[in-house]
Amino acid sequence: MGIVIDNLTVSYQRRPAVHHLNMDFGDGEMWAIFGPNGAGKSTLLKAMMGLLQADTGQVLWQGLQRRDIAYLPQQSDIDRSQPMTVFELAAMGLWYEIGFFGRVNARQRERVQRALARVDMGDFAERQIAHLSNGQFQRVLFARMLAQDARVLLLDEPFNAVDAQTTYALLEVLRRCNQEGQAVIAVLHDYEQVRAYFPNTVLVAREKIAAGTTEMVLVDDLLARANHAMQQHERSDWCAA
Ligand code: ADP
Ligand code: MG
C-alpha cells in the first residue's frame, strides 16, 4: 500500500513544474514536502491526486482507491460567504460514501461530530462558516478531512494565514492521525514545524533534490543545492520532455 511516483514530469505550457521525479510514499509514513517557492510542490500534490496530466511517467496508487486519499488543497475550494454550517462543511468529508445529496445516517453524524471534537470545534457545529476566524475555518477543513477516514492525508501548506496556537493544535492532530496508522504527506514551508513533527522529508526544486529522514535532508548543503537548482531552472529553456 502506498503512492509511488515513477519518473513524473508535469508541465504548464511546456515548462516542467515537476521534472522526472521518483518517490515512494509508504503505507502509514509521515512525510513533509519542502522546497523553495515555485518548486512544484503544489503541482506534485495535484498530480498525486490525479488532477493534472503527466508528460512522462506516472503516479501509482498501490492498494488505494480515490476515496482512500483525503486532499486539503492550498486554496480552499469553499466559498466562505455562502450559508453553510460547520457541521455541513465537515460532513462533506462523507461525500464518497453518500454523494452530494445523500442523507447522513446516525453513525455518520457521530463520525462527523467526533471529527469536529478532535479539532476542538465540537461546540460550533451549528455555527455559520461565515462567522469563523481563519484558524477556526481551517480546523473545520481538518474535520472534513478526518471525517473521510482516509488512509492517506495530503495537505498543501495547511497553516498559511493560521495563528500559531491553531497551527500547533493541528500539527498534534496530524501526529495522532499518523500514530493511528494514517499516512500524512504535507507541503510545509516552516523549517521548525517540519523538524518538530515530520520524521521524513522530500526536498524538491522541480526535480527531487533529496528524500529520507528529515535530519538527513534538511541540512545546509542540500538546501543550498535546492536553491541553486531553482535558479538553474528559472534560467534554462526546457526540452519537451
Ligand atoms: P510551489 O507549490 O512549490 O510553490 P507550484 O507547483 O505552485 O509550486 O508551481 C510550480 C511552477 O509552475 C511555478 O513556476 C508556477 O508559476 C507554475 N505554475 C503553477 N500553476 C500554474 C498554472 N496553473 N499555469 C501556469 N503555470 C503554473
Ligand atoms: Mg504551492
Side-chain angles (χ1 to χ4, degrees):
M1 192 121 48
I3 300 179
V4 174
I5 296 165
D6 168 31
N7 189 34
L8 181 71
T9 301
V10 182
S11 309
Y12 302 102
Q13 287 98 42
R14 305 188 65 169
R15 283 181 70 84
V18 170
H19 200 225
H20 295 297
L21 194 140
N22 294 293
M23 187 61 208
D24 203 335
F25 295 107
D27 188 27
E29 294 179 351
M30 187 156 182
W31 283 88
I33 301 176
F34 198 78
N37 275 333
K41 304 181 295 296
S42 294
T43 302
L44 175 59
L45 242 53
K46 287 176 193 163
M48 286 166 68
M49 287 303 294
L51 300 173
L52 292 173
Q53 187 139 25
D55 296 340
T56 72
Q58 56 190 333
V59 174
L60 298 165
W61 294 348
Q62 293 187 330
L64 298 169
Q65 296 178 312
R66 176 65 187 80
R67 63 181 290 168
D68 295 321
I69 308 174
Y71 171 52
L72 187 55
Q74 186 166 6
Q75 302 294 338
S76 174
D77 49 343
I78 297 295
D79 171 8
R80 283 173 68 178
S81 65
Q82 69 180 313
M84 182 185 273
T85 66
V86 161
F87 183 90
E88 286 166 343
L89 174 51
M92 287 172 68
L94 303 173
W95 186 82
Y96 291 101
E97 290 163 52
I98 63 177
F100 270 122
F101 301 105
R103 288 178 59 88
V104 178
N105 67 31
R107 273 184 47 199
Q108 290 166 329
R109 175 165 286 275
E110 200 180 305
R111 234 169 74 203
V112 173
Q113 267 308 335
R114 208 163 43 233
L116 285 170
R118 287 185 71 175
V119 295
D120 290 327
M121 291 295 287
D123 295 335
F124 291 71
E126 297 312 316
R127 175 113 18 140
Q128 286 293 318
I129 60 171
H131 297 156
L132 301 177
S133 69
N134 283 344
Q136 290 171 329
F137 184 69
Q138 195 64 359
R139 286 173 189 262
V140 181
L141 291 181
F142 264 63
R144 178 180 68 170
M145 178 179 71
L146 298 176
Q148 192 179 324
D149 268 348
R151 299 214 34 87
V152 181
L153 310 180
L154 290 184
L155 306 97
D156 196 349
E157 303 217 17
F159 308 123
N160 277 349
V162 171
D163 60 277
Q165 191 192 348
T166 299
T167 296
Y168 281 95
L170 293 177
L171 279 165
E172 290 293 341
V173 168
L174 291 181
R175 178 178 275 165
R176 281 294 299 277
C177 286
N178 183 248
Q179 285 167 348
E180 291 166 9
Q182 288 172 301
V184 176
I185 303 168
V187 174
L188 293 175
H189 61 254
D190 186 304
Y191 187 89
E192 296 304 326
Q193 288 167 11
V194 175
R195 287 178 61 93
Y197 283 88
F198 286 76
N200 306 297
T201 298
V202 51
L203 178 62
V204 297
R206 306 287 167 96
E207 59 194 296
K208 182 172 80 178
I209 304 296
T213 64
T214 296
E215 203 179 349
M216 303 271 286
V217 169
L218 286 191
V219 295
D220 290 345
D221 170 41
L222 292 173
L223 293 169
R225 204 180 298 177
N227 284 325
H228 182 70
M230 275 304 287
Q231 285 161 14
Q232 294 289 104
H233 290 322
E234 291 300 336
R235 270 200 293 272
S236 63
D237 286 324
W238 291 89
C239 63

